[in-house]
Amino acid sequence: MVLIIFHNTSTLALFLFFTANLLLCFVPSISELQRVGHPAKADGSLSFLVVGDWGRRGLYNQSQVALQMGVVAERLDIDFVISTGDNFYEDGLNGVLDPEFNESFINIYDSPSLQKQWYTVLGNHDYRGDVEAQLSPILREMDPRWLCMRSFIVSTDTTPFVDEYFTHPKNHTYDWKGVLPREEYLSNLLKDLDSALRDSSARWKIVVGHHTIKSAGHHGVTKELEEHLLPILLANNVDMYMNGHDHCLEHITSADNFCGSQTQFLTSGGGSKAWRGDIRKWNPEELKLYYDGQGFMSLQTTPTNADIVFYDVFGNVLHKWSISKDLDAAV
């Protein structure tokens, strides 16, 4: 079983439960749990791609990344795609009829192998536009691949955690409908996340958000998530935290969790514009990959193994990492 939680870093997002099938639960609160079924492969395996920070109408190599995603997706026979947020630059969508939905999503990710479900979280740039547009079922009618919800049990909205978006928004206007009052929203989100992780018997626990927790990139560590979210992940022995926000590809490993196993912090924010040469000092024993260019990542899981692969804009493999678990080990 795989439990994937999409943490929007702006709000709460998504948990995926994978058994004989894949169950995705999108929750504004546990009491309002919504579920959709996602069938698994017959051999019990699961594979998907992860891309973030992409929506630029094909510019900054977005189209090239999308092309290589299609190649890898066909080879791996993926089940779905995860977007780690900042789906439309610079200021989200201005409504459900915004042509950028076509120009940055439908017309770009057009490979046959990418015509799978896309599970999408919201980033800080998405909150600068009409958030309700990305959440609207109208977009799903335009392209049934698109699924963006403010809260999935498997994902967590991280943007509302970041203080500066509220205290120093600069010249930006953020759409906080559905988030205010902020303190109550964040409290409920953390309780729901902790409960879902604690009650899950999944062999693999994955949380997805937009903002970084550990990163050597431009934004670095998000102190609010380090304070409020990280302890929950470690206490519940989460295997991986996946995010975007920093426009790079990155893998940091940590041995901090409560059972002594490692949590992998995986940044996939290279969907279009990258930031060359923007790297902070980090412990080389923890920093397994830092690539300041465009690209994406894949994950393949079985009940006993998880294989992580990062790819550059040309589809070349940059980095591989495998994790194994004893089939008989307690979860």
Side-chain angles (χ1 to χ4, degrees):
M1 178 189 293
V2 175
L3 171 65
I4 303 177
I5 300 177
F6 299 89
H7 193 248
N8 252 349
T9 60
S10 302
T11 56
L12 171 65
L14 162 78
F15 290 102
L16 302 176
F17 297 87
F18 174 64
T19 52
N21 61 8
L22 183 64
L23 182 65
L24 301 103
C25 312
F26 308 89
V27 294
S29 69
I30 292 296
S31 61
E32 301 175 11
L33 193 64
Q34 301 177 52
R35 302 170 180 238
V36 295
H38 193 131
K41 293 185 177 72
D43 63 359
S45 65
L46 175 69
S47 61
F48 58 90
L49 303 184
V50 185
V51 66
D53 303 84
W54 42 267
R56 297 183 185 271
R57 294 182 168 90
L59 300 177
Y60 296 97
N61 283 337
Q62 183 194 359
S63 294
Q64 183 65 23
V65 172
L67 177 64
Q68 295 302 324
M69 287 174 62
V71 173
V72 173
E74 182 176 7
R75 184 167 70 244
L76 299 184
D77 187 20
I78 64 165
D79 298 283
F80 54 87
V81 179
I82 288 174
S83 168
T84 58
D86 278 0
N87 308 312
F88 302 102
Y89 284 94
E90 288 287 328
D91 299 313
L93 297 180
N94 62 28
V96 294
L97 299 181
D98 190 331
E100 190 172 354
F101 184 67
N102 284 278
E103 296 167 1
S104 289
F105 178 65
I106 295 177
N107 297 344
I108 301 297
Y109 302 102
D110 57 356
S111 297
S113 59
L114 296 178
Q115 306 308 302
K116 304 291 179 71
Q117 189 73 69
W118 282 57
Y119 298 109
T120 311
V121 302
L122 297 167
N124 50 297
H125 282 268
D126 300 309
Y127 269 91
R128 295 178 187 176
D130 182 355
V131 168
E132 297 298 324
Q134 292 198 48
L135 303 174
S136 172
I138 293 175
L139 295 191
R140 294 201 292 275
E141 293 173 4
M142 296 170 61
D143 191 322
R145 295 179 295 171
W146 182 262
L147 185 54
C148 182
M149 302 181 73
R150 196 182 296 276
S151 297
F152 306 42
I153 270 196
V154 185
S155 78
T156 302
D157 183 3
T158 57
T159 302
F161 280 91
V162 182
D163 293 336
E164 69 174 287
Y165 301 144
F166 293 84
T167 59
H168 298 89
K170 300 179 181 178
N171 297 322
H172 307 301
T173 299
Y174 291 88
D175 183 0
W176 296 126
K177 292 190 299 291
V179 170
L180 302 176
R182 182 189 178 207
E183 292 75 13
E184 179 181 350
Y185 176 84
L186 294 179
S187 176
N188 289 336
L189 186 155
L190 290 170
K191 289 178 182 176
D192 290 349
L193 176 64
D194 185 42
S195 176
L197 288 168
R198 186 177 61 251
D199 295 344
S200 172
S201 60
R203 296 192 58 78
W204 300 103
K205 295 182 179 180
I206 303 169
V207 175
V208 181
H210 176 63
H211 288 77
T212 60
I213 294 181
K214 292 179 180 287
S215 175
H218 175 79
H219 291 108
V221 172
T222 305
K223 61 181 179 63
E224 296 90 343
L225 297 185
E226 187 178 46
E227 178 181 355
H228 299 291
L229 179 60
L230 182 57
I232 293 174
L233 305 189
L234 299 180
N236 289 285
N237 301 319
V238 166
D239 297 288
M240 302 170 218
Y241 177 75
M242 300 177 177
N243 60 271
H245 200 43
D246 272 341
H247 294 191
C248 62
L249 302 174
E250 186 176 13
H251 175 197
I252 291 176
T253 188
S254 174
D256 291 333
N257 77 28
F258 281 65
C259 69
S261 62
Q262 294 179 325
T263 299
Q264 312 303 320
F265 296 88
L266 308 169
T267 297
S268 184
S272 58
K273 187 177 182 179
W275 297 327
R276 288 289 186 182
D278 199 345
I279 181 172
R280 302 164 183 255
K281 291 184 179 179
W282 202 274
N283 181 350
E285 293 184 1
E286 293 184 351
L287 185 61
K288 304 302 182 183
L289 169 71
Y290 187 90
Y291 179 70
D292 57 354
Q294 295 103 342
F296 59 100
M297 63 165 285
S298 68
L299 178 67
Q300 294 178 280
T301 67
T302 69
T304 58
N305 294 284
D307 295 312
I308 301 161
V309 183
F310 285 88
Y311 309 85
D312 70 9
V313 66
F314 303 108
N316 299 316
V317 173
L318 297 169
H319 174 66
K320 293 182 178 180
W321 190 266
S322 295
I323 310 169
S324 297
K325 290 189 177 185
D326 186 343
L327 188 61
D328 298 323
V331 178

